Amino acid sequence: MWGFRGARFIRYRLPLREGQVAAAKWGRGTSGNLGGMTSPVRVRFAPSPTGTLHLGSARSALNNWLFARHHGANGTYVLRIEDTDQERSTPENVEQALRVFRWLGMDWDEGPGVDGPFAPYFQSQRQDTYGAALGKLMDRSAEPVDRYAYPCFCTKEQLAEDRAAADAAKRPFIYTGRCRNLDEEERANRVAAGDAHVIRFRIPDAGTTVVHDLVLGDTSFENALIGDFVIARADGSPLYNFANVVDDAAMEITHVIRGNDHLSNTPKQILLYEALGAAVPAFAHLPMVLGPDGAKLSKRRHHTSTVEQLAESGYSPEAVRNALALIGWSKDDVTNVMSTAELIEHFDITRVKKSAAAIDYDKLSWLNGEHLRAMSVADWAAGYEAWRDEWLPADHELHAAAFALTGVEAALLVQEKCVTWGEVPAYLGFLLEPFAMSDEAWARLQKTGDVGVRVLEHVVPMLETLDDFGMESLEAALRGACDALELKPGKLFGPVRFAVTGQTIAPGLWESMHELGRTRTIERLRAGRDRLAATLASA
RNA sequence: GCCCCGUUCGUCUAGUGGCCUAGGACGCUGGCCUUUCACGCCGGUAGCACGGGUUCGAAUCCCGUACGGGGUACCA
């Protein structure tokens, strides 16, 4: 009689209760509080600082952030840097990664720069924690007896042979367990003698481990198929699955929200949590993010596959958040455009769908346009100026155009026309000197023919004597000219616009003329009239 | 190979056994508006992967097939 939604809800709450038991174990958290709504919720995003943030990763980060913020004061968003790869984890790369996060506007409660009760938040500084956890797992006097860590002296050659044998027999390769049952004395002797060894984690031979997933539901894995896996390298450094669990347990993470590519790691991690005596967090595996062609999103194949590229193109962070949130999740059947506040209010991890989703750049652009148009002039101007200061190089051909106006002035001209801030400078190109009419504009001016000449001849003296060169005055004058010449607005504004802006894409006419000023406007009208008349005469 | 996950218009999605001759959005497209470009408005286009069940009734539940994806490391 349970509806599916009801069943999901039950699953959603169970892990929270487990979390509280564990919190009590650590002497932290809220004991005895069984109200789901007030349980603290702690999530994290743990990127490796490679210098770029992939859209798929950004989506994971966003879902964690929205989940935490949705829980208000009870939600904590932790940023932990997985910088164990010393080569790529340079301070510059870390700083670059943090810059991207700040741009995306996902503030973290604990992590680099702010620290917190579980510092440090860099894996490279947490060796002691991993060492202690390893010691705990290797202590054979501890429970449970079928889950522990042991040194494995198998050489790479031996393992390669095992693997080859498994392949030949068409059997899945599972670690044979050769070093699992060495006697304690031999182990101790070989370790003391300095024999190279990794540390493996012993898992039960039988039984299944089931992952209760907020997105996928229950998924079970046979323990026998997992095999004792390596948790520490020969040099003692921890492997991902181990470091991740140790950190998440230590930081009291209650919900692990991550990409679906981690699903098969999860049973291993659950076993690890149990062996460590730590609370198993709730899991939510997000559907993979695909490129527009349905292939896995990659920098190579897809032009804007990183957050940096979107920032550079002039997208607004809020629109990107909106678009990212909509990958695999929806508020309902009709809502698309949402402010971040709305995202936070409505975000529900249990509504995330299971299947992979291709990112739709067309829709992203549309969303961006919607957000840009909905902004206040002040916000739009600030965003535009931030973009142009950060991303438009001084030697760019449109640099001068972009800086010809303030953000507020530009907003008045083109806010409702642009899909991204990156498009703004091109609209402003008409303001630059020396003036040069584009080929397309000239072609269209030519098409106006004799009418065009008449219009320009009429308009020049009119504007020379116009008292006020303000926008309203200009509009009134130009509309008046339509009556005087008995022309439809379209016929009259066309030649004027092409002559004045020299472009086929430009802001509104009176706005443009006003911004250009009387002298330059009239100069251009005259030049256009002369050129057009000369061309017609010689034809 | 083995394990796991998934499959609704081209794309993102709504859908939890009757409200579905499947709704919305992007895209594409016809038209209107119009001062270029946009915006806006009205309309059109197109989908439940396939095959079996269960049921009075299936996009929805079950089984199988196909296809796609993830994993199978001293990567993360």
Short mmCIF file of all heavy atoms in Angstrom, two decimals, chain B residues 42-54:
data_model
loop_
_atom_site.label_atom_id
_atom_site.label_comp_id
_atom_site.label_asym_id
_atom_site.label_seq_id
_atom_site.Cartn_x
_atom_site.Cartn_y
_atom_site.Cartn_z
P C B 42 0.61 33.55 -26.58
OP1 C B 42 -0.43 33.21 -25.58
OP2 C B 42 1.96 32.93 -26.49
"O5'" C B 42 0.03 33.27 -28.03
"C5'" C B 42 -1.26 33.75 -28.40
"C4'" C B 42 -1.54 33.39 -29.83
"O4'" C B 42 -0.60 34.09 -30.71
"C3'" C B 42 -1.32 31.93 -30.18
"O3'" C B 42 -2.42 31.11 -29.82
"C2'" C B 42 -1.14 32.00 -31.69
"O2'" C B 42 -2.37 32.13 -32.38
"C1'" C B 42 -0.33 33.28 -31.84
N1 C B 42 1.12 33.01 -31.91
C2 C B 42 1.64 32.57 -33.13
O2 C B 42 0.88 32.44 -34.10
N3 C B 42 2.96 32.29 -33.22
C4 C B 42 3.74 32.43 -32.15
N4 C B 42 5.03 32.14 -32.29
C5 C B 42 3.23 32.87 -30.89
C6 C B 42 1.92 33.14 -30.81
P G B 43 -2.17 29.59 -29.51
OP1 G B 43 -3.52 29.03 -29.29
OP2 G B 43 -1.12 29.45 -28.46
"O5'" G B 43 -1.54 29.01 -30.86
"C5'" G B 43 -2.38 28.44 -31.83
"C4'" G B 43 -1.64 28.14 -33.11
"O4'" G B 43 -0.61 29.11 -33.40
"C3'" G B 43 -0.87 26.84 -33.20
"O3'" G B 43 -1.69 25.70 -33.30
"C2'" G B 43 -0.13 27.07 -34.52
"O2'" G B 43 -0.99 26.94 -35.62
"C1'" G B 43 0.27 28.54 -34.38
N9 G B 43 1.67 28.64 -33.94
C8 G B 43 2.16 29.07 -32.73
N7 G B 43 3.47 29.00 -32.66
C5 G B 43 3.85 28.47 -33.89
C6 G B 43 5.14 28.15 -34.41
O6 G B 43 6.23 28.28 -33.86
N1 G B 43 5.07 27.65 -35.70
C2 G B 43 3.91 27.46 -36.42
N2 G B 43 4.06 26.95 -37.64
N3 G B 43 2.70 27.76 -35.95
C4 G B 43 2.75 28.25 -34.69
P G B 44 -1.14 24.28 -32.85
OP1 G B 44 -2.28 23.34 -32.95
OP2 G B 44 -0.41 24.43 -31.58
"O5'" G B 44 -0.09 23.92 -33.98
"C5'" G B 44 -0.52 23.74 -35.32
"C4'" G B 44 0.67 23.45 -36.19
"O4'" G B 44 1.61 24.55 -36.11
"C3'" G B 44 1.50 22.24 -35.76
"O3'" G B 44 0.95 21.04 -36.24
"C2'" G B 44 2.84 22.55 -36.43
"O2'" G B 44 2.82 22.25 -37.81
"C1'" G B 44 2.94 24.06 -36.25
N9 G B 44 3.72 24.45 -35.09
C8 G B 44 3.27 24.96 -33.90
N7 G B 44 4.23 25.23 -33.06
C5 G B 44 5.40 24.87 -33.73
C6 G B 44 6.76 24.93 -33.34
O6 G B 44 7.23 25.35 -32.28
N1 G B 44 7.61 24.46 -34.33
C2 G B 44 7.19 23.97 -35.54
N2 G B 44 8.16 23.55 -36.36
N3 G B 44 5.93 23.92 -35.93
C4 G B 44 5.09 24.38 -34.99
P U B 45 1.29 19.70 -35.48
OP1 U B 45 0.55 18.62 -36.17
OP2 U B 45 1.12 19.92 -34.03
"O5'" U B 45 2.85 19.49 -35.76
"C5'" U B 45 3.32 19.29 -37.09
"C4'" U B 45 4.82 19.13 -37.06
"O4'" U B 45 5.42 20.33 -36.55
"C3'" U B 45 5.29 18.04 -36.11
"O3'" U B 45 5.30 16.80 -36.80
"C2'" U B 45 6.70 18.49 -35.75
"O2'" U B 45 7.64 18.09 -36.73
"C1'" U B 45 6.58 20.02 -35.79
N1 U B 45 6.46 20.64 -34.46
C2 U B 45 7.63 20.98 -33.80
O2 U B 45 8.74 20.77 -34.27
N3 U B 45 7.45 21.59 -32.59
C4 U B 45 6.25 21.89 -31.98
O4 U B 45 6.24 22.45 -30.89
C5 U B 45 5.09 21.48 -32.72
C6 U B 45 5.22 20.89 -33.91
P A B 46 4.30 15.65 -36.40
OP1 A B 46 3.93 14.96 -37.63
OP2 A B 46 3.24 16.18 -35.48
"O5'" A B 46 5.24 14.69 -35.55
"C5'" A B 46 6.49 14.29 -36.09
"C4'" A B 46 7.51 14.29 -34.99
"O4'" A B 46 7.73 15.65 -34.52
"C3'" A B 46 7.06 13.54 -33.74
"O3'" A B 46 7.30 12.16 -33.89
"C2'" A B 46 7.93 14.19 -32.66
"O2'" A B 46 9.22 13.63 -32.67
"C1'" A B 46 8.00 15.65 -33.14
N9 A B 46 7.03 16.51 -32.46
C8 A B 46 5.68 16.53 -32.60
N7 A B 46 5.08 17.41 -31.83
C5 A B 46 6.12 18.01 -31.14
C6 A B 46 6.15 19.01 -30.16
N6 A B 46 5.06 19.62 -29.69
N1 A B 46 7.36 19.38 -29.69
C2 A B 46 8.45 18.77 -30.16
N3 A B 46 8.55 17.81 -31.08
C4 A B 46 7.34 17.47 -31.53
P G B 47 6.38 11.12 -33.26
OP1 G B 47 6.48 9.86 -34.04
OP2 G B 47 5.06 11.74 -33.00
"O5'" G B 47 7.09 10.89 -31.87
"C5'" G B 47 8.42 10.36 -31.82
"C4'" G B 47 8.78 10.10 -30.41
"O4'" G B 47 8.65 11.32 -29.66
"C3'" G B 47 7.84 9.12 -29.68
"O3'" G B 47 8.21 7.79 -29.96
"C2'" G B 47 8.09 9.49 -28.23
"O2'" G B 47 9.30 8.95 -27.77
"C1'" G B 47 8.25 11.02 -28.33
N9 G B 47 7.01 11.76 -28.05
C8 G B 47 5.88 11.85 -28.82
N7 G B 47 4.96 12.60 -28.28
C5 G B 47 5.52 13.03 -27.08
C6 G B 47 4.99 13.87 -26.06
O6 G B 47 3.89 14.43 -26.01
N1 G B 47 5.89 14.03 -25.03
C2 G B 47 7.14 13.47 -24.98
N2 G B 47 7.88 13.75 -23.90
N3 G B 47 7.65 12.70 -25.92
C4 G B 47 6.78 12.52 -26.93
P C B 48 7.20 6.60 -29.79
OP1 C B 48 7.89 5.33 -30.11
OP2 C B 48 6.00 6.99 -30.52
"O5'" C B 48 6.84 6.63 -28.25
"C5'" C B 48 7.14 5.49 -27.44
"C4'" C B 48 7.82 5.97 -26.20
"O4'" C B 48 6.94 6.89 -25.54
"C3'" C B 48 8.13 4.86 -25.20
"O3'" C B 48 9.38 5.16 -24.60
"C2'" C B 48 6.98 4.95 -24.21
"O2'" C B 48 7.43 4.63 -22.93
"C1'" C B 48 6.65 6.43 -24.23
N1 C B 48 5.26 6.78 -23.97
C2 C B 48 4.98 7.47 -22.79
O2 C B 48 5.90 7.71 -22.02
N3 C B 48 3.71 7.85 -22.55
C4 C B 48 2.75 7.57 -23.41
N4 C B 48 1.51 7.99 -23.13
C5 C B 48 3.00 6.86 -24.63
C6 C B 48 4.26 6.48 -24.86
P A B 49 10.41 3.98 -24.28
OP1 A B 49 9.76 2.98 -23.45
OP2 A B 49 11.63 4.69 -23.84
"O5'" A B 49 10.70 3.33 -25.71
"C5'" A B 49 11.19 4.11 -26.78
"C4'" A B 49 11.91 3.20 -27.74
"O4'" A B 49 13.22 2.89 -27.18
"C3'" A B 49 11.23 1.84 -27.94
"O3'" A B 49 10.28 1.92 -28.97
"C2'" A B 49 12.41 0.94 -28.29
"O2'" A B 49 12.77 1.10 -29.64
"C1'" A B 49 13.52 1.52 -27.41
N9 A B 49 13.61 0.87 -26.11
C8 A B 49 13.43 1.44 -24.87
N7 A B 49 13.61 0.61 -23.87
C5 A B 49 13.94 -0.59 -24.49
C6 A B 49 14.24 -1.86 -23.98
N6 A B 49 14.29 -2.14 -22.68
N1 A B 49 14.52 -2.85 -24.86
C2 A B 49 14.48 -2.56 -26.17
N3 A B 49 14.20 -1.39 -26.78
C4 A B 49 13.94 -0.45 -25.87
P C B 50 8.94 1.06 -28.82
OP1 C B 50 8.07 1.50 -29.93
OP2 C B 50 8.47 1.13 -27.42
"O5'" C B 50 9.43 -0.43 -29.11
"C5'" C B 50 9.97 -0.78 -30.38
"C4'" C B 50 10.45 -2.21 -30.33
"O4'" C B 50 11.56 -2.30 -29.38
"C3'" C B 50 9.43 -3.20 -29.78
"O3'" C B 50 8.53 -3.62 -30.79
"C2'" C B 50 10.33 -4.34 -29.30
"O2'" C B 50 10.78 -5.13 -30.38
"C1'" C B 50 11.51 -3.56 -28.73
N1 C B 50 11.38 -3.33 -27.28
C2 C B 50 11.70 -4.39 -26.43
O2 C B 50 12.05 -5.48 -26.91
N3 C B 50 11.60 -4.21 -25.09
C4 C B 50 11.20 -3.03 -24.60
N4 C B 50 11.12 -2.91 -23.27
C5 C B 50 10.85 -1.95 -25.45
C6 C B 50 10.95 -2.13 -26.78
P G B 51 7.08 -4.10 -30.38
OP1 G B 51 6.35 -4.36 -31.64
OP2 G B 51 6.52 -3.19 -29.37
"O5'" G B 51 7.37 -5.49 -29.66
"C5'" G B 51 7.90 -6.57 -30.41
"C4'" G B 51 8.11 -7.76 -29.52
"O4'" G B 51 9.17 -7.48 -28.57
"C3'" G B 51 6.93 -8.08 -28.62
"O3'" G B 51 5.92 -8.78 -29.32
"C2'" G B 51 7.60 -8.94 -27.55
"O2'" G B 51 7.85 -10.25 -28.01
"C1'" G B 51 8.92 -8.20 -27.36
N9 G B 51 8.84 -7.25 -26.26
C8 G B 51 8.57 -5.90 -26.30
N7 G B 51 8.56 -5.34 -25.12
C5 G B 51 8.84 -6.38 -24.24
C6 G B 51 8.96 -6.39 -22.82
O6 G B 51 8.84 -5.46 -22.04
N1 G B 51 9.25 -7.68 -22.34
C2 G B 51 9.40 -8.80 -23.13
N2 G B 51 9.67 -9.92 -22.49
N3 G B 51 9.30 -8.80 -24.45
C4 G B 51 9.02 -7.57 -24.93
P G B 52 4.53 -9.03 -28.61
OP1 G B 52 3.56 -9.37 -29.65
OP2 G B 52 4.25 -7.92 -27.65
"O5'" G B 52 4.88 -10.32 -27.77
"C5'" G B 52 4.01 -10.75 -26.76
"C4'" G B 52 4.76 -11.48 -25.70
"O4'" G B 52 5.98 -10.74 -25.35
"C3'" G B 52 4.01 -11.54 -24.38
"O3'" G B 52 3.06 -12.58 -24.42
"C2'" G B 52 5.12 -11.73 -23.37
"O2'" G B 52 5.58 -13.05 -23.32
"C1'" G B 52 6.18 -10.79 -23.95
N9 G B 52 6.03 -9.44 -23.41
C8 G B 52 5.74 -8.28 -24.11
N7 G B 52 5.66 -7.22 -23.35
C5 G B 52 5.91 -7.71 -22.06
C6 G B 52 5.96 -7.03 -20.81
O6 G B 52 5.78 -5.84 -20.59
N1 G B 52 6.23 -7.90 -19.77
C2 G B 52 6.45 -9.24 -19.90
N2 G B 52 6.71 -9.92 -18.78
N3 G B 52 6.41 -9.89 -21.06
C4 G B 52 6.14 -9.06 -22.09
P G B 53 1.56 -12.17 -24.31
OP1 G B 53 0.76 -13.38 -24.08
OP2 G B 53 1.24 -11.25 -25.41
"O5'" G B 53 1.57 -11.31 -22.95
"C5'" G B 53 0.83 -11.75 -21.86
"C4'" G B 53 1.72 -12.21 -20.73
"O4'" G B 53 2.99 -11.52 -20.80
"C3'" G B 53 1.12 -11.86 -19.38
"O3'" G B 53 0.38 -12.96 -18.91
"C2'" G B 53 2.34 -11.50 -18.53
"O2'" G B 53 2.91 -12.62 -17.93
"C1'" G B 53 3.29 -10.88 -19.57
N9 G B 53 3.10 -9.43 -19.75
C8 G B 53 2.85 -8.81 -20.95
N7 G B 53 2.73 -7.51 -20.83
C5 G B 53 2.92 -7.27 -19.47
C6 G B 53 2.90 -6.05 -18.75
O6 G B 53 2.72 -4.91 -19.19
N1 G B 53 3.12 -6.24 -17.40
C2 G B 53 3.34 -7.47 -16.81
N2 G B 53 3.54 -7.48 -15.50
N3 G B 53 3.36 -8.62 -17.47
C4 G B 53 3.14 -8.44 -18.79
P U B 54 -1.16 -12.70 -18.70
OP1 U B 54 -1.75 -14.03 -18.41
OP2 U B 54 -1.67 -11.87 -19.81
"O5'" U B 54 -1.17 -11.84 -17.36
"C5'" U B 54 -0.50 -12.35 -16.20
"C4'" U B 54 -0.48 -11.29 -15.14
"O4'" U B 54 0.49 -10.27 -15.49
"C3'" U B 54 -1.78 -10.51 -14.99
"O3'" U B 54 -2.72 -11.22 -14.20
"C2'" U B 54 -1.30 -9.23 -14.31
"O2'" U B 54 -1.07 -9.42 -12.94
"C1'" U B 54 0.04 -9.01 -15.03
N1 U B 54 -0.08 -8.10 -16.17
C2 U B 54 -0.10 -6.74 -15.92
O2 U B 54 -0.01 -6.28 -14.79
N3 U B 54 -0.24 -5.94 -17.02
C4 U B 54 -0.35 -6.35 -18.32
O4 U B 54 -0.47 -5.51 -19.21
C5 U B 54 -0.33 -7.78 -18.51
C6 U B 54 -0.20 -8.58 -17.45
#
